[in-house]
Amino acid sequence: MKFSFALGAALLALSAHAMAQTKWDLPSAYPASNFHTENLEQFAKDVDKATAGKLKLTVHANAALFKAPEIKRAVQGGQAQIGEILLVNYQNEWQLFGADGVPFLADSYDAAMKLYKAQKPFLDKKLGEQGMMLLYAVAWPPQGIFTKRTLNSAADMKGLKWRAYSPATARIAELVGAQPVTVQQAELSQAMATGVVDSYMSSGSTGYDTKTYEYIKNWYDTQAWLPKNAVIVNKAAFAALDKPTQDALLKAGADAEARGWAASKKANTETLEKLKANGMQILQPPPQLKADMKKVGDTMLKEWLEKAGPEGQQLVDAYKKM
Ligand code: PCA
């Protein structure tokens, strides 16, 4: 009797201890010094503090735990309880994941925030059906063109060895007659060093992270779109947390979202300055290039709406009303 009481108490203490030490892995695909990753680290600290160490998040940066396109499935399957994904990576699975990758649909931070607000109810629903939840999302800085060439029009992009990070960035290559090669950021420096790619569209932030200035000297500031990283959580893992811990996680997520958008704007300015300091030319797109890229965007919006169907139209309508 006495023994089983002691055993029961020990087991209770053990489970309380286990509760006290819930540990979650948080895979991300970008380097530790990237503003998204720094924001994730701050988020993990905030969660630690607000839960008095009850929930510990370990950030695995730079695609060390899972490659960028694998993170969503890892969270869905519970191999990771929480993860950061690039939404546009998953456009082929469901077109609305790629709404923020359609060129010139939303081409400023204000527009990107509106698009996010219009996209969010759809994301919540889809991820919910997949056993996940959206905790927060943060936009990358505006996307421009890194190239060794001087561009006057889209015709000058013919034959470029074009690094793509999403179905949409590969489609751009097809429309301008470049050769798309899909490479995620973690492998981009190597792809440039070995000459597998000589051009791509992305932010100054990624240009700086990957030391693109060592290989490419021009960046055309097209401000074409602002794709988002989203932090997603496995619903069952969330449900297993007690209510105060759940609340702390949600609160830290909301704080991270606000902090992240501000950090993105700051990173935009700072990384473009750093690229310049390292010899990169930050160029305004000449009028013909601008007009040609706008045309690419128009084609892609049309294609996207055709594939996305009624919910895509609903999203765009909701966005345009904001
Ligand atoms: N950087 C990421 C996605 C968008 C961005 O600015 C990348 O190039 O992989």
Side-chain angles (χ1 to χ4, degrees), residues 30 86 140-141 143 163 165 184-185 200-203 206 227:
Y30 305 98
L86 177 64
W140 284 91
Q143 309 285 293
R163 173 260 177 169
Y165 63 71
Q184 294 305 323
Q185 183 173 324
Y200 66 100
M201 278 185 90
S202 189
S203 57
T206 288

Side-chain angles (χ1 to χ4, degrees), residues 30 34-36 86 88-89 140-143 163 165 183-186 188 200-207 209-210 225-229:
Y30 305 98
N34 178 271
F35 73 92
H36 285 293
L86 177 64
V88 297
N89 270 347
W140 284 91
Q143 309 285 293
R163 173 260 177 169
Y165 63 71
V183 179
Q184 294 305 323
Q185 183 173 324
L188 178 53
Y200 66 100
M201 278 185 90
S202 189
S203 57
S205 178
T206 288
D209 282 351
T210 56
W225 70 94
L226 294 82
K228 291 184 296 296
N229 276 1

